[in-house]
Structure formats: structure tokens, C-alpha cells
Amino acid sequence: MLRLFCFILFLAFSINQTNANDDASPPIFFTKAEVLDTYTTRIPFKLIDHLIVVEAELLNKKGSFIIDTGSETMILNKVHFPDFYEYQRKNQETSGVIQSIDNSYERRIEAFALESLKLHDKDSDVIDISHIEKSKKIKLLGIIGYNILKDYEVFIDLHLNQITLTQVDRFGNKLNDDVYLEKIVDSLSFNLKNHTIIVNGTINNQKVKFGIDTAAEFNQINRKVNRKALKYFIPKRRLSLSGVGNKKIEVLAGKLHRVKLSETIYFGPMLTVLTNLNKMNEAFGTQLDGILGYEFFAQKRTIINYQKEKLYFIDYPLNTQ
């Protein structure tokens, strides 16, 4: 039987950043790839199944990183970075969507080159995520999360398979206004709970709260959501769901209909899994009714501005064929 594995990487991690030597050399600067201007870089990505994957270099190793807005910090794959000692063990557990993960470590990253993006003095958690690497058949060095992305306006474009990062000030204003050739057609406010993007919406006119996560291969809906909302979840099959902790659970998968985030922002049917979100809500201190992931970005070319707590949307080109 064909088994479908869904690697939803909605993670919460602690971060301890340093501001040392900020005046001497910027912690983030652009070097060699497609630099649009002093403050903006464009990074191509591949879709591995439904995961956004970029090529990067870290500690003289080249490989793939998953872009995950649901992860608070950078995650390193322990398989490729095994030389850690007990004094680097974290004092607290790291929480994943399916379970809490222990035996994680922290390491300060002195230099990290992501295409044209280079970072200095970033903390990273170290976790064994080799099961994802094996399933996706890629050399997975790790995961790029919120602490890397938060200082930028992030344009995630599944039409052109590229991410555009443009630096912003502490108020969220772009340092260069002439960034996008396309026209922004709509926007939506969100709440930032720690590092989690939370939006209000409705399913069949029933109020719900969604988290937005670029590394959720399929949407999730809480089985405890209002029955009037669940009426428009149409189950199709069962699949196996695996998280960073490599625990698997079986869930119902189907299509979710009648999702709206505003009067002008709504979606066609989205592939969604029905699951229990209690563990995740406990880990993040939230009360989410669902997670919007790949299916969200596949329908909406989306710009994330963390400082302004705003999402902006650009239309897909009309299909004239």
C-alpha cells in the first residue's frame, strides 16, 4: 500500500542571540547570488514534495535547508554535525507538533551562507532529523526558521519558486520601496505569538484561528473544531504523519472547503489532515483550530512582514491556455 508521509515541521525553539560586534560587522550581509539592491536578495528554491528547500553552505558543508516559518530558530541535522559535547545539551525540551523532543543541543554559528545571504553569530539547535532526510532523498543539513527571517520582508512565491528577502527597519518599513514588480492586491493583519503567525478566519462561517507554516506539507484541522466547520472537511483516505521526533500517527486526509480569512481572501478546496492539535497548542501556548501550509501558499503568493504583523498578497498570473 502506498504510504504518504507528511512532515509538518511546526516547531518551537528557544533562541539566545548575541549583539556582540554588531557595530564592527553587520550580522547579515549579501555577497554573491542574485542581489537586487543593497537591501534585497532573491533566493531560488526547489519543492521537495511540498517542502520549500534551498541550497546553502554551513561550516564548509553544502546541502539543503527547509524554509520553516514554524521553527523559532535554525535547526542543524545532528547526522551532519555530530561533534557536540554534553555541556552543549539544552536544559529544556524542544517542542514539536507531535511530541516534545529531548536530547537536543545548541551551537553558535559563526558564519552561514545562504546563496547571497550570509549570517554571523546565530544560535542553532541540533536534532537528529535523518528520517526526513532519508524519506525526501536529499542531503538535509537543517531548517531555517524565524530568527533568520524576522529581520526581512519575506516574499514566498510558489509561481516562480523563489523567495525574496528585503531588509526592514524596526518598524517593518522596507529600506528600499522599489522591490516588487508585481502589484500588491490585498493584505491581512496577523498576531505574532512568540514566533507563530496566527490569523483569524472562518470555515462555513464558523470562526477559527489558523497558524501559518511554510513547512506544513498539508493543512491541519483540529478534530475538536465546531461540527458546522467539520461538515466541510471531506475525508478521502488515511495517511501516516511523521514529525521531527520521528513518531508516526495515522490521520484522516481529505479536502477542506469554505475557508475564508476576510471578505476578499478565500480559498478553493485544500488538502488537509484531521488531527488533534492539543499537544501543539500546549507547546506554543496557543489555541489554534488549524494550520495552513503549502496549500495556502500554493493559492496565495504571500509576503510576510513580521514587524508590522501583516501579510500581503500578489495575484497569480491569469492562465490564458
Side-chain angles (χ1 to χ4, degrees):
M1 182 181 70
L2 178 63
R3 300 191 69 188
L4 213 97
F5 292 95
C6 172
F7 296 98
I8 299 179
L9 301 170
F10 199 93
L11 311 174
F13 295 95
S14 62
I15 174 175
N16 178 24
Q17 280 187 251
T18 180
N19 292 320
N21 299 322
D22 277 357
D23 295 333
S25 60
I28 299 175
F29 62 93
F30 307 108
T31 57
K32 59 184 178 181
E34 188 176 4
V35 177
L36 302 186
D37 57 55
T38 305
Y39 308 107
T40 306
T41 186
R42 181 179 292 149
I43 303 168
F45 63 78
K46 297 180 293 184
L47 280 175
I48 306 297
D49 294 332
H50 289 167
L51 294 176
I52 296 172
V53 176
V54 296
E55 295 301 314
E57 182 177 340
L58 174 60
L59 301 177
N60 298 317
K61 295 184 179 182
K62 293 183 179 181
S64 298
F65 278 78
I66 294 168
I67 300 294
D68 183 7
T69 58
S71 171
E72 185 173 350
T73 187
M74 186 189 301
I75 313 303
L76 298 185
N77 190 351
K78 188 177 178 181
V79 171
H80 297 296
F81 304 96
D83 299 326
F84 297 94
Y85 303 96
E86 284 300 306
Y87 69 83
Q88 293 169 305
R89 187 185 296 273
K90 295 186 69 172
N91 293 325
Q92 63 186 28
E93 288 184 336
T94 296
S95 297
V97 67
I98 295 180
Q99 65 173 47
S100 294
I101 305 165
D102 56 13
N103 294 323
S104 63
Y105 298 81
E106 285 185 323
R107 177 158 181 166
R108 176 58 51 89
I109 304 304
E110 294 179 356
F112 173 66
L114 170 63
E115 297 285 344
S116 61
L117 178 66
K118 195 164 186 177
L119 305 104
H120 293 281
D121 295 329
K122 290 290 183 181
D123 280 344
S124 172
D125 286 322
V126 183
I127 300 170
D128 185 353
I129 51 176
S130 58
H131 58 291
I132 300 176
E133 179 177 56
K134 291 175 183 177
S135 174
K136 299 304 178 185
K137 297 180 175 61
I138 58 175
K139 183 180 179 181
L140 181 61
L141 297 185
I143 297 165
I144 296 169
Y146 165 78
N147 77 314
I148 303 276
L149 303 172
K150 65 183 177 62
D151 296 325
Y152 297 85
E153 191 169 85
V154 184
F155 179 18
I156 300 169
D157 188 352
L158 263 68
H159 172 62
L160 297 176
N161 279 14
Q162 63 189 22
I163 294 176
T164 302
L165 301 178
T166 185
Q167 285 182 277
V168 296
D169 62 22
R170 63 191 182 94
F171 302 107
N173 299 314
K174 295 189 296 294
L175 300 184
N176 181 357
D177 288 332
D178 299 323
V179 175
Y180 311 118
L181 296 176
E182 302 90 341
K183 180 181 178 182
I184 292 174
V185 296
D186 214 335
S187 65
L188 184 73
S189 296
F190 66 82
N191 295 316
L192 193 62
K193 177 72 172 179
N194 296 324
H195 65 282
T196 305
I197 298 171
I198 300 176
V199 296
N200 294 314
T202 63
I203 304 173
N204 189 30
N205 297 319
Q206 304 302 305
K207 292 182 179 180
V208 290
K209 285 187 177 182
F210 290 111
I212 306 293
D213 183 4
T214 56
E217 290 199 75
F218 305 112
N219 293 348
Q220 296 179 73
I221 188 69
N222 196 338
R223 65 180 59 176
K224 295 184 178 181
V225 79
N226 188 292
R227 288 185 179 181
K228 291 183 179 179
L230 284 183
K231 179 180 178 182
Y232 286 90
F233 170 73
I234 312 301
K236 299 290 186 181
R237 55 181 168 173
R238 294 185 178 274
L239 57 81
S240 180
L241 176 71
S242 179
V244 168
N246 201 19
K247 276 193 175 180
K248 296 182 177 68
I249 58 173
E250 192 175 76
V251 296
L252 273 176
K255 290 294 184 73
L256 184 64
H257 301 250
R258 297 200 179 186
V259 175
K260 294 179 66 175
L261 301 184
S262 74
E263 288 302 314
T264 56
I265 302 170
Y266 47 88
F267 299 84
M270 294 186 285
L271 185 60
T272 302
V273 298
L274 181 68
T275 187
N276 189 331
L277 295 182
N278 287 349
K279 187 71 174 180
M280 184 197 67
N281 283 332
E282 180 181 341
F284 299 127
T286 61
Q287 288 299 318
L288 297 180
D289 299 301
I291 302 294
L292 299 178
Y294 167 80
E295 296 278 321
F296 171 90
F297 293 100
Q299 294 192 32
K300 300 291 182 184
R301 300 169 80 191
T302 304
I303 299 167
I304 302 171
N305 190 309
Y306 284 101
Q307 278 73 22
K308 290 187 175 183
E309 298 190 4
K310 295 279 286 189
L311 300 177
Y312 302 95
F313 301 102
I314 291 172
D315 279 341
Y316 276 87
L318 293 175
N319 188 351
T320 57
Q321 294 183 352

